[in-house]
Amino acid sequence: MTVERRFFVTTPIYYVNDLPHLGHAYTTVAADALARFMRLDGYRVKFLTGTDEHGQKVETSARAAGISPQEFADRISASFRAMAELLAISNDDFIRTTEPRHQRAVEALWKELERRGEIYLGRFSGWYSVRDEAFYGESELMDGKAPTGADVEWVEEENYFFRLSNWQDKLLAYYDANPEAIGPKSRRNEVVSFVKSGLNDLSISRTGFSWGIPVPGNPRHVMYVWLDALANYVSAIGYPDTHSPDFSTFWPADLHLVGKDILRFHAVYWPAFLMAAGLQPPRRVFAHGWWTVEGQKMSKSLGNFIPPRRLEATYGRDALRYFLLRELPFGSDGDFSHRAVVARLNGDLANDFGNLAQRALAMIHRNCSAEVPQPHGFSEEDEALLAAARGLLPALRPLMREQAFHLALETIWRVVAEANRYVDAMAPWALLQSDRKRMESVLYTLAEVIRRLAIIVQPFVPDAAGRLLDQLSVAPEARAFAALEESFLVAGTPLPKPQGVFPRFVAKKEAGTEGPC
Ligand code: ME8
């Protein structure tokens, strides 16, 4: 069974060695906005997130906490689930690598690779970073550390290897045939030159610890955590049953959304594993940039670790979601500051969009007997504003396909600005005495434009958009993008009393201007 209009999007599955922070929220919110956008656009969507629970790093953290790795994983995995709920994440599934469905799939993948002669037993000696769960060549080290700054240790042990070196040409051919396979373009170039520089076989098992999936037929080894983790994208849709409805509908994935730190695993190792197992590589991997806090990497020890819960409690989830997707070009790095969140919240949301909606709806409530007003023909200005709003969806589709979330929001807010200029120029309050009919046409135009804006911002600020659509009496079944083509506000529809949907943020005195985190 194949469904034409389907879309499979994933986030990384997060390590359970530590609690969720702003960086995890970032990727998850971006994937959610895209999943919601595609659903509203009529696609059958599968949106997957989850937790990566095996490996040395988790084993070590569990030991430090004095509990078993499973108990530790249960606890932290629950906090990632809670983060998803907190941020209104609409994932269809949440996979944990300690689940039987996943273990079964990974074992099957291993056996398939072995059956095809892609795995052999050898001896590994080299550098390993537990923090990165990655192997490094001598030449990659900088001042005795991994290029990421993580500590490395010398490892010499019997390992299973994957014949990655056999896949160099096929990977290059895959990138060549699929220009969209890696985004953004600059990252694509990095990956291509990395592969062109030559690939070594990859160690895919470890023997020094036990918290992992045992290698079939040789349980002295556990599988390398990255082979285990990457397989989540297929285990969640039913692999090894490639004829299952989910697998046949959703594979290959349309998009793996990841941070730039883990692009190589997704754009080199993963497509090689898949092709070697006779499966199709993903359609696209997009690597976004890195948030720093006051110029530094977030970490508990630096005391600049930002938990999403604190941000949500301070600013609300819509504001946080909007800020994350609007502030940085998706793909670039950026620095987090509370001042920047407040500027976006009070500027774009409260002043620009919030006031527009509140002004228009309050005027309608007061002067049009709390009903959608009757338009009496449209002027050139009305038509121009309506056309700008109608043009949004076709403009947004390609931007969302390229994960240009910041441009999508900028495009929407251009229409918000145009609508604000229109209100000022039309001055409907002045028309109340001089030309009531014209006032009704202006207010109708505004209400209709606000309806369109509210429908289109649902993927980004779902709560506020929902409340706005309630205030326009738009029925739940009339909120998909199809309603942008098919329907208009109907004059005479009763409207409830309007209430602001984007409150201004006023810093509490004791919190100071830099906010409380
Ligand atoms: O790498 N800025 O898990 P992880 C932006 N388990 N994004 C950030 C960020 C920051 N400062 N910090 C983290 C793993 N992220 C593996 C993945 S997938 C098969 C296995 C986000 O918990 C970003 O998406 O270290 C990054 O790639 C991911 O969290 C790393 O999460």
Side-chain angles (χ1 to χ4, degrees):
M1 182 179 70
T2 34
V3 174
E4 271 305 296
R5 285 167 65 82
R6 57 76 160 171
F7 193 77
F8 181 22
V9 57
T10 67
T11 71
I13 50 169
Y14 303 112
Y15 284 128
V16 292
N17 66 302
D18 227 334
L19 290 165
H21 61 63
L22 176 76
H24 305 118
Y26 187 45
T27 324
T28 306
V29 163
D32 182 64
L34 190 54
R36 285 174 181 268
F37 186 94
M38 298 308 278
R39 271 189 218 112
L40 287 165
D41 210 11
Y43 284 74
R44 186 169 160 204
V45 170
K46 167 120 8 220
F47 169 21
L48 176 68
T49 186
T51 42
D52 185 356
E53 306 190 359
H54 291 130
Q56 204 169 344
K57 181 152 78 166
V58 173
E59 193 182 80
T60 310
S61 300
R63 191 171 303 131
I67 52 177
S68 73
Q70 186 62 61
E71 209 181 323
F72 189 76
D74 289 348
R75 264 189 212 172
I76 311 266
S77 180
S79 60
F80 276 96
R81 243 182 232 270
M83 174 186 84
E85 269 167 42
L86 189 77
L87 300 175
I89 303 303
S90 64
N91 54 300
D92 300 289
D93 198 351
F94 186 102
I95 188 146
R96 302 182 53 186
T97 55
T98 50
E99 286 176 74
R101 62 170 172 162
H102 177 73
Q103 306 217 9
R104 185 176 137 252
V106 178
E107 280 162 18
L109 180 64
W110 181 285
K111 286 185 189 155
E112 185 59 19
L113 290 171
E114 203 164 40
R115 193 181 69 77
R116 290 169 176 256
E118 299 288 348
I119 291 180
Y120 64 92
L121 189 60
R123 240 198 119 65
F124 177 81
S125 56
W127 297 101
Y128 191 77
S129 155
V130 176
R131 191 180 91 188
D132 300 347
E133 296 283 17
F135 300 96
Y136 291 105
E138 185 75 47
S139 61
E140 285 179 286
L141 299 191
M142 284 149 67
D143 300 329
K145 295 201 181 238
T148 56
D151 288 335
V152 289
E153 60 191 49
W154 183 255
V155 172
E156 257 186 73
E157 56 185 34
E158 182 189 70
N159 277 179
Y160 285 93
F161 286 83
F162 169 69
R163 295 187 195 282
L164 184 62
S165 57
N166 277 356
W167 290 90
Q168 180 176 3
D169 292 346
K170 288 178 197 97
L171 281 168
L172 290 171
Y174 151 68
Y175 305 142
D176 224 35
N178 300 280
E180 304 305 318
I182 303 169
K185 285 229 157 52
S186 55
R187 300 260 168 241
R188 176 193 158 86
N189 298 340
E190 280 171 28
V191 169
V192 171
S193 34
F194 170 73
V195 173
K196 277 194 176 147
S197 73
L199 295 174
N200 296 323
D201 288 348
L202 183 70
S203 166
I204 52 164
S205 76
R206 300 290 315 277
T207 52
F209 64 98
S210 59
W211 182 236
I213 301 180
V215 166
N218 191 352
R220 234 170 38 78
H221 289 248
V222 294
M223 288 185 208
Y224 176 38
V225 65
W226 270 102
L227 174 61
D228 170 351
L230 287 162
N232 90 86
Y233 302 130
V234 290
S235 60
I237 53 169
Y239 185 82
D241 182 0
T242 52
H243 298 292
S244 70
D246 255 14
F247 194 95
S248 48
T249 304
F250 290 111
W251 196 257
D254 292 275
L255 177 68
H256 295 314
L257 209 55
V258 300
K260 64 178 184 176
D261 52 322
I262 56 173
L263 178 59
R264 187 179 294 182
F265 298 96
H266 283 81
V268 181
Y269 303 161
W270 180 226
F273 292 153
L274 286 164
M275 290 193 280
L279 298 171
Q280 287 187 61
R283 296 209 166 112
R284 182 166 168 85
V285 178
F286 187 96
H288 64 65
W290 205 249
W291 283 100
T292 50
V293 176
E294 282 152 41
Q296 286 182 302
K297 199 175 155 75
M298 247 176 291
S299 83
K300 279 250 169 84
S301 51
L302 290 173
N304 62 359
F305 189 91
I306 301 192
R309 185 170 292 285
R310 291 257 286 286
L311 293 176
E312 191 275 341
T314 310
Y315 303 114
R317 67 181 172 200
D318 278 339
L320 176 58
R321 290 172 61 106
Y322 178 82
F323 171 79
L324 289 175
L325 297 180
R326 176 66 186 84
E327 188 66 8
L328 297 185
F330 203 65
S332 309
D333 297 340
D335 201 42
F336 179 88
S337 84
H338 290 281
R339 196 169 284 129
V341 184
V342 173
R344 287 281 174 206
L345 203 170
N346 286 347
D348 302 8
L349 296 182
N351 281 353
D352 298 347
F353 197 4
N355 274 351
L356 170 73
Q358 183 63 15
R359 274 211 285 180
L361 294 179
M363 266 187 279
I364 292 173
H365 198 81
R366 251 193 332 269
N367 304 316
C368 308
S369 14
E371 287 178 358
V372 173
Q374 176 69 50
H376 309 275
F378 294 109
S379 73
E380 216 173 283
E381 291 90 341
D382 307 341
E383 295 284 8
L385 183 62
L386 287 166
R390 265 199 305 273
L392 275 177
L393 181 60
L396 254 51
R397 282 191 181 117
L399 296 173
M400 295 300 280
R401 280 277 180 191
E402 290 169 19
Q403 292 77 53
F405 302 110
H406 61 297
L407 294 182
L409 287 169
E410 196 180 297
T411 305
I412 299 171
W413 257 255
R414 270 207 293 274
V415 176
V416 170
E418 207 171 318
N420 274 317
R421 282 194 297 274
Y422 170 90
V423 184
D424 292 342
M426 297 300 124
W429 50 90
L431 294 168
L432 183 62
Q433 304 304 332
S434 61
D435 189 348
R436 193 177 168 86
K437 284 193 166 168
R438 179 66 198 135
M439 177 196 75
E440 286 172 353
S441 299
V442 168
L443 290 180
Y444 178 88
T445 302
L446 278 170
E448 172 59 14
V449 167
I450 292 166
R451 177 188 76 100
R452 288 175 176 274
L453 288 168
I455 286 178
I456 222 144
V457 293
Q458 290 178 99
F460 307 97
V461 286
D463 292 348
R467 287 202 301 277
L468 206 46
L469 290 166
D470 291 344
Q471 294 182 30
L472 287 164
S473 298
V474 174
E477 61 279 8
R479 297 180 181 193
F481 292 162
L484 296 170
E485 307 289 332
E486 293 159 4
S487 63
F488 295 90
L489 282 176
V490 176
T493 307
L495 300 177
K497 190 171 165 39
Q499 279 177 341
V501 297
F502 292 117
R504 279 184 73 78
F505 176 80
V506 183
K508 292 199 185 73
K509 268 224 170 78
E510 66 273 25
T513 49
E514 274 304 299
C517 295

